[in-house]
Amino acid sequence: MLLAAVGAAGTVAGYDRGQLATFVWASQGLLAVILLWGWTDLADRIRSGEIAADLLRPVHPVTAYLATDLGRAGHAALVRMLPPVLIGPLFFEVHLPARWATVPLFAISVTLAVVLCFGCRFLVNATAYWLHDVRGPMILWTVGAGVLAGLYFPLRFLPEWLQLALWLGTPFPSLLQTPLDVLVERDPTGVQAGLVGLQAGWTALILLAARWVQRRAEHRLVVQGG
């Protein structure tokens, strides 16, 4: 469908056929690396009461879960991301990086996306401290993250004012759209670096929010006798 959108024009929203093909194949691989959906470990442990054991450990829960998630992401990069990236060029014309800075920027961007996505998932799971049943927040997260992160279509297809609002007002484009735009070299190197910098800002903010929510939740557990 994206290739049909390019049509005879040759480019659409700043992407050519090779860039769009790379966007799709790489997004499928990155989906498993950043793990937009499917993680309910924290919520499950809150409901079962096993979270009490986590609070007794010397490592902060956010740090402990993040370390586990980074290990998972490294494994997924090898077994889930590399195959689509290697298979895609066999069937489609793809875009290969032409700038020396693209590869390191992409590596940094993917790492930030992994940490940022973990922080967002932690916050969604942490609602179990108050709601006990997180199915509602999880459904909202699943729908919102898929649309606003650029999984279903590149966010550059949207009006410029809406793109700006999403990038500056929400962390969602930094989850998937930013690393993919860096990889396909949609923008000049300076703009790429700026997007990665914005991504780093959102990552720091969300991690701080996760630690603050965890601290508030621990106070609530003490009040309840947990």
Side-chain angles (χ1 to χ4, degrees):
M1 293 176 61
L2 291 178
L3 293 180
V6 176
T11 61
V12 58
Y15 302 99
D16 59 26
R17 293 178 63 86
Q19 288 172 316
L20 283 178
T22 303
F23 191 101
V24 172
W25 282 98
S27 68
Q28 294 306 301
L30 277 178
L31 184 59
V33 176
I34 67 174
L35 194 65
L36 273 180
W37 312 309
W39 187 76
T40 59
D41 294 13
L42 177 62
D44 293 340
R45 292 179 70 81
I46 293 170
R47 285 200 306 270
S48 67
E50 294 176 292
I51 189 65
D54 296 338
L55 301 181
L56 295 175
R57 297 188 176 110
V59 180
H60 193 280
V62 174
T63 303
Y65 280 108
L66 175 58
T68 302
D69 200 63
L70 288 173
R72 176 210 55 78
H75 178 264
L78 295 176
V79 302
R80 291 295 302 275
M81 182 177 174
L82 279 182
V85 172
L86 295 177
I87 292 173
L90 300 178
F91 301 95
F92 295 90
E93 175 189 355
V94 298
H95 177 84
L96 298 177
R99 309 173 194 152
W100 68 268
T102 296
V103 173
L105 273 176
F106 177 67
I108 294 171
S109 183
V110 170
T111 302
L112 289 171
V114 170
V115 178
L116 174 59
C117 190
F118 160 78
C120 292
R121 285 186 277 108
F122 188 97
L123 289 174
V124 174
N125 274 249
T127 60
Y129 282 117
W130 291 269
L131 302 178
H132 303 294
D133 188 344
V134 296
R135 284 177 293 181
M138 287 298 295
I139 290 174
L140 291 175
W141 163 254
T142 299
V143 175
V147 174
L148 302 179
L151 176 63
Y152 301 139
F153 59 88
L155 297 180
R156 298 302 184 97
F157 284 14
L158 298 173
E160 289 188 8
W161 66 267
L162 185 53
Q163 295 178 37
L164 185 62
L166 288 175
W167 247 290
L168 297 180
T170 76
F172 292 109
S174 295
L175 296 173
L176 197 61
Q177 182 74 37
T178 292
L180 291 172
D181 275 349
V182 169
L183 178 63
V184 302
E185 299 176 327
R186 164 63 173 71
D187 304 293
T189 303
V191 176
Q192 288 179 316
L195 290 175
V196 174
L198 178 62
Q199 195 181 19
W202 275 115
T203 302
L205 182 62
I206 293 298
L207 281 183
L208 287 173
R211 295 181 73 91
W212 179 80
V213 168
Q214 177 64 31
R215 185 169 63 252
R216 295 281 297 179
E218 291 173 10
H219 291 325
R220 177 181 176 82
L221 289 175
V222 171
V223 169
Q224 292 181 338

